[in-house]
């Protein structure tokens, strides 16, 4: 989840220059945007409970998280343009209304597939909320006051990201998983009510949206996501999986060709010739894998290997998320003091890699510090990156391209987070399946089914049905988790090398 300032639409407003008191706008913005990080970080913890209650298997449970991310990544730029054209307050209300309806559908759902569709709708709503509210805040404040306003909104986003797992865990522990989405619905309803205090604004001279490009990008992202989810079940060399990956590659190639030819591209590909912009977007890969992927794997690991419940798992995850809320101000000050961007980025990536290395030692019977220390280090690394990445992406290009750079950066980050969350679960499921296939098991215990349930964290029924195998299953799950952490270590090392190489001539941050 990124700072809202980085998705700020550009261009002057063509609405009358009328400004009332700004604090109601800021209050509504704080309430409204907090739902977006809560939806990102608070949902993974609920997947085991949803699976136990509604069933559906690993793939539908993965879509509870991925539908939200894919939809937001695919529509973020479109909702920003629509807000400029038709009114920011109007698009905010439509987005928040869609989000609220999606939450009500989730609460009433009796099938995991219904939740998948509802979460996709929530992702579209989240994109509209962020882009429209960003423009509303920018229109309500000027000069230093605008920077302070965005700083406060950024704090709210950071708090939502940090507290999402804990809030979800506590509510689910005390009530159930549906109550968590009920809590989210209350927040969105308050934001909608607060929209009565918002002024309307628009910028009809803003750029038009590249719908063919967005369509190709969405198809490529969807096919790649589906292929990754299908891999552990259909086989990575299976015809279905290969066809999905081939289709994703074809759609992506067509997307690049279209973007190079159209007069109004969704992505200005020439921006990637800027080394700083290219580097920051490459950092998104390890950022997504090392943080979002870990955020998705941790609940299942804590449930099966640690034997924890929702509330205790949510408190453990605070060790990862609280540093993300606190550390960005440190890296921001280092950047302002003149520390080169390459050193800050390399330092953050190194911390993420070191944290992943530390997690390879975490076992079910390990002391708390064995888990706590690497989680804190990883969170600190993510916080370091959060403090500079958005500004570095936008600040690396001319002011005339700032809006396009911000939109590209946010879209790429959301796409990377979506793919990372799919990849890490698919890897765990594959590693567990491989190990279980080589392990003597009861005849009625299917290795593929057990692998899916372990990867999704839906272990209560599995362990209750096969108590004699619980230790073996938990050990296999821990081994698979460690293997993914080793991949994160390698990816972090490669990312550090890429940052130092690509920005080797940079003496100071822009």
């Amino acid at each position: 989840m990124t700072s809202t300032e980085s998705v700020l639409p550009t261009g002057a407003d063509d609405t009358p220059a009328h400004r009332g008191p700004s604090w109601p706008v800021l209050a509504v913005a704080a309430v409204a945007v907090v739902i977006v990080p809560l939806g990102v970080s608070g949902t993974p913890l609920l997947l085991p409970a949803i699976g136990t209650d509604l069933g559906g298997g690993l793939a539908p449970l993965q879509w509870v998280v991925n539908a939200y991310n894919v939809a937001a990544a695919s529509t973020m730029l479109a909702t920003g343009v629509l807000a400029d054209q038709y009114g920011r307050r109007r698009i905010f209300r439509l987005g928040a209304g869609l989000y609220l309806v999606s939450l009500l559908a989730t609460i009433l759902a009796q099938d995991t597939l219904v939740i998948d569709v509802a979460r996709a709708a929530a992702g579209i709503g989240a994109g509209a909320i962020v882009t429209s509210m960003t423009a509303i805040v920018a229109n309500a404040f000027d000069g230093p006051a605008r920077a302070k306003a965005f700083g406060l909104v950024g704090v709210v986003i950071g708090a939502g990201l940090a507290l999402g797992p804990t809030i979800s865990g506590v509510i689910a522990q005390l009530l159930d998983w549906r109550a968590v989405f009920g809590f989210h619905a209350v927040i969105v309803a308050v934001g909608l009510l607060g929209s009565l205090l918002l002024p309307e604004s628009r910028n009809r001279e803003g750029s038009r949206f590249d719908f063919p490009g967005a369509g190709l990008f969405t198809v490529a992202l969807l096919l790649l996501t589906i292929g990754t989810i299908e891999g552990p079940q259909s086989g990575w060399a299976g015809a279905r999986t290969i066809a999905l990956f081939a289709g994703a590659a074809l759609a992506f190639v067509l997307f690049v060709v279209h973007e190079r030819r159209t007069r109004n591209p969704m992505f200005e590909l020439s921006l990637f010739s800027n080394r700083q912009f290219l580097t920051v977007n490459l950092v998104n890969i390890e950022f997504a894998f090392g943080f979002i992927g870990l955020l998705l794997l941790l609940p299942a690991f804590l449930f099966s290997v640690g034997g924890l419940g929702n509330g205790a798992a949510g408190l453990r995850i605070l060790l990862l998320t609280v540093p993300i809320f606190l550390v960005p101000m440190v890296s921001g000050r280092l950047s302002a003091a003149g520390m080169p961007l390459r050193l800050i980025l390399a330092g953050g990536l190194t911390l993420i890699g070191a944290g992943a290395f530390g997690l390879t030692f975490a076992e079910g019977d390990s002391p708390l510090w064995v888990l706590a220390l690497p989680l804190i280090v990883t969170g600190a690394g993510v916080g370091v990156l959060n403090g500079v990445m958005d500004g570095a992406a936008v600040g690396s290009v001319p002011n005339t391209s700032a809006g396009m750079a911000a939109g590209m950066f946010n879209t790429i980050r959301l796409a990377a987070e979506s793919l990372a969350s799919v990849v890490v679960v698919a890897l765990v499921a594959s590693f567990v399946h491989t190990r279980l296939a080589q392990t003597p098991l009861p005849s009625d215990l299917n290795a593929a089914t057990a692998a899916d349930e372990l990867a999704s964290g839906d272990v209560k029924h599995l362990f209750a049905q096969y108590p004699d195998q619980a230790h073996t299953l938990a050990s296999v799950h821990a081994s698979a988790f460690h293997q993914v952490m080793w991949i994160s270590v390698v990816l972090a090392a490669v990312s550090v090398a890429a940052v130092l190489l690509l920005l080797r001539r940079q003496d100071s941050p822009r």
Side-chain angles (χ1 to χ4, degrees):
M1 184 61 211
T2 60
S3 165
T4 54
E5 188 172 10
S6 65
V7 293
L8 177 62
T10 58
D13 290 333
D14 59 13
T15 47
H18 170 73
R19 295 181 187 271
S22 298
W23 68 264
V25 174
L26 191 56
V28 175
V31 172
V33 300
V34 76
I35 191 61
V36 181
L38 285 178
V40 171
S41 66
T43 305
L45 197 72
L46 305 177
L47 298 185
I50 295 173
T52 300
D53 191 11
L54 303 181
L58 180 62
L61 286 176
Q62 284 186 271
W63 279 110
V64 172
V65 172
N66 296 318
Y68 184 91
N69 290 335
V70 170
S74 302
T75 60
M76 182 74 73
L77 290 172
T79 54
V81 172
L82 291 174
D84 279 348
Q85 294 292 321
Y86 299 105
R88 284 83 178 247
R89 183 180 63 183
R90 178 178 296 174
I91 296 302
F92 168 75
R93 287 175 172 174
L94 289 174
L98 179 61
Y99 205 128
L100 182 59
V101 170
S102 75
L103 289 169
L104 296 177
T106 301
I107 294 169
L108 298 174
Q110 298 301 316
D111 189 293
T112 306
L113 294 178
V114 174
I115 298 181
D116 294 341
V117 175
R119 294 308 291 166
I124 298 173
I129 288 172
V130 170
T131 53
S132 59
M133 188 53 72
T134 299
I136 289 171
V137 171
N139 194 52
F141 293 88
D142 287 315
R146 177 183 291 180
K148 292 180 180 179
F150 277 118
L152 178 59
V153 173
V155 169
V156 170
I157 289 178
L161 193 64
L163 297 177
T166 304
I167 292 172
S168 293
V170 171
I171 294 177
Q173 186 83 36
L174 295 176
L175 299 171
D176 62 10
W177 63 268
R178 297 179 192 271
V180 177
F181 292 109
F183 172 69
H184 291 180
V186 171
I187 294 176
V188 177
V190 172
L192 265 176
L193 185 63
S195 69
L196 295 173
L197 303 174
L198 299 177
E200 183 60 285
S201 63
R202 57 177 54 86
N203 174 24
R204 296 188 187 278
E205 300 304 318
S207 62
R208 298 187 179 277
F209 188 65
D210 175 22
F211 285 101
L216 289 168
F217 179 83
T218 302
V219 169
L221 184 58
L222 276 174
L223 291 177
L224 187 56
T225 302
I226 295 171
T228 307
I229 292 175
E230 288 287 331
Q233 302 176 20
S234 303
W236 294 105
R240 177 181 173 86
T241 306
I242 293 176
L244 287 167
F245 285 146
L250 176 60
F252 182 74
V253 169
L254 292 176
F255 168 74
V256 172
V257 172
H258 170 77
E259 293 301 286
R260 291 176 64 88
R261 293 181 176 181
T262 185
R263 297 175 60 185
N264 185 41
M266 173 183 171
F267 279 9
E268 183 56 65
L269 298 179
S270 63
L271 293 182
F272 288 115
S273 63
N274 182 296
R275 286 193 174 194
Q276 180 170 308
F277 185 74
L278 173 64
T279 302
V280 174
N281 279 283
L282 288 176
V283 169
N284 273 330
I285 299 174
E286 171 57 12
F287 179 94
F289 196 95
F291 171 50
I292 299 299
L294 179 59
L295 194 64
L296 198 66
L297 293 185
L298 262 184
F301 177 81
L302 294 173
F303 291 153
S304 69
V305 180
L308 302 180
N310 284 315
L315 291 174
R316 295 290 196 283
I317 296 175
L318 272 178
L319 297 166
L320 171 67
T321 55
V322 166
I324 299 171
F325 173 56
L326 299 176
V327 173
M329 63 184 72
V330 176
S331 58
R333 289 179 179 177
L334 290 175
S335 178
M339 177 175 284
L341 176 66
R342 62 189 176 90
L343 296 183
I344 297 176
L345 293 178
L349 291 167
T350 300
L351 288 173
I352 293 176
F357 173 73
L359 287 171
T360 63
F361 297 97
E363 301 284 354
D365 56 354
S366 299
L368 178 59
W369 70 267
V370 176
L371 177 70
L373 183 59
L375 288 181
I376 292 171
V377 170
T378 300
V382 174
V384 167
L385 298 182
N386 263 350
V388 297
M389 284 177 65
D390 297 87
V394 177
S396 64
V397 302
N399 288 338
T400 53
S401 299
M404 174 65 75
M408 289 172 63
F409 175 78
N410 279 278
T411 300
I412 292 171
R413 173 177 280 189
L414 283 167
E417 291 174 356
S418 175
L419 289 173
S421 61
V422 178
V423 168
V424 294
V425 175
L427 287 173
V428 167
S430 294
F431 293 151
V432 169
H433 188 194
T434 300
R435 284 285 301 276
L436 289 181
Q438 302 168 353
T439 303
L441 298 173
S443 58
D444 59 338
L445 177 54
N446 182 273
T449 301
D452 286 355
E453 292 177 344
L454 288 169
S456 66
D458 185 13
V459 298
K460 182 181 294 185
H461 174 72
L462 179 65
F463 287 178
Q465 188 174 0
Y466 302 98
D468 294 338
Q469 303 295 322
H471 181 268
T472 298
L473 294 170
S475 297
V476 170
H477 187 186
S479 176
F481 177 81
H482 295 159
Q483 287 178 270
V484 175
M485 290 303 100
W486 276 114
I487 294 174
S488 185
V489 171
V490 173
L491 188 57
V494 172
S495 300
V496 169
V499 166
L500 295 178
L501 178 64
L502 288 172
L503 299 182
R504 65 187 184 278
R505 298 178 182 174
Q506 187 186 59
D507 296 324
S508 62
R510 292 191 60 165

